[in-house]
Amino acid sequence: MAAPSEKELGAPGSLEPLVALADRTATDVERLNRLTPELAEAVTDAGFARHFVPRRWGGTAGTFTSALGAVSAVGESCTSTAWCAALYAAHGRLASYLPEAAQRELWGQTPDVRIAAAVVPPAGRATEVEGGWRLTGRWSYASGVDHAHWVLLSSQTGAADVRAVRVFALPREDVQVLDTWRNCGLKGTGSHSLTVEGAFVPAHRTLSLPDLDRVQAGSARCHAVPYQLVAGLQFAAPALGAARAGLRTWAAGLIARRGPDGNPVPPSAGARRTLAQASAEIHAAGLMLEAAALRADTSVATPLTVAENVRDASVAVRQCVTAVGRLLEAAGARAQAECDPLQRRWRDVNSAAAHGALGFEGAAAHYAQALLVTGGPA
């Protein structure tokens, strides 16, 4: 049995090498449409892959608060790197619900296992056979799959009138990656499509969606909360980092302005308003996400607290979108250049906001329904 990890995300000195490397290679990552191998290793060395792995396998079984802080910090250097880091961590948490034998296969040698996933929506075809399942099909948007050791895929099973969704764990070599990711934002996440052709998945390497709601005795807090309570946080954290970096870039340009005489040029009234409003929007988004992470770490998970977290992740990212859009508009034509870091942040934040887990209409419906059940806000 492995000893508990000492690699807590956000511990002093734990993120500096990754943040520095992500900053130096951000343009390379965009050009390649995937992380570099060195970045993937740095993400692992920083403790992301093991962050939600159970302690009995040497993992950290860490907090959502530390994950939010670490992911957003990396996002200030490279949003794509932060996105993959967040998902490697989140998929470790998802895999912790697999049966014990599967967990031993994944983490028996080390908790530093990078896991990619394509679980929403389910795709492909799973056929039950003796001892397990045969899996065939095509899945989309498997972020970070180029550097993954394992992949989680979901598929519908059962007859048409009794459909159920199962998640299957496959070693990376059982999956063919298709070089399909050419997005305008989050370009470096390598969120490619992939195919599987008749791979055998033993019964112990699969779980059903209801399994995610079953909490085993003695589980760490991070393994004892509903999936929806925390799903939005993993996608919102990179966007928060990108928005903070966009604000810093814009403000630095404002401060650096000089007149013909070489003296600083005072900001215009419009620039002052832009700075105040955008900074307040991004600050408020950070506070909302920090409160949501703390809720996930400490609060009783009720239908209302789950709905509040779904709502807050969605609204926080929309505030980041509004703020960075405001900054881009105020920066003028120069910020639209391909090499300008502000337009990269704008593309990344908008791409993150388009993820289904952050959709506002769904979040609003979820929150309204919870209020109807509970009788109103606290």
Side-chain angles (χ1 to χ4, degrees), residues 226-245:
Y227 174 75
Q228 282 191 299
L229 184 71
V230 297
L233 284 171
Q234 65 201 26
F235 303 111
L240 176 63
R244 286 171 170 167

Side-chain angles (χ1 to χ4, degrees), residues 34 55 67 76 83 89 130 178 182 196 263 326 333 342 371:
R34 58 175 58 83
R55 292 190 183 95
E76 293 191 41
W83 185 272
E130 183 177 356
L178 308 177
R182 297 294 185 274
V196 176
N263 291 322
R326 191 186 309 283
L342 183 56
L371 285 186

Side-chain angles (χ1 to χ4, degrees), residues 352-369:
H355 195 281
L358 298 172
F360 182 68
E361 291 303 320
H366 192 158
Y367 183 66
Q369 180 62 32

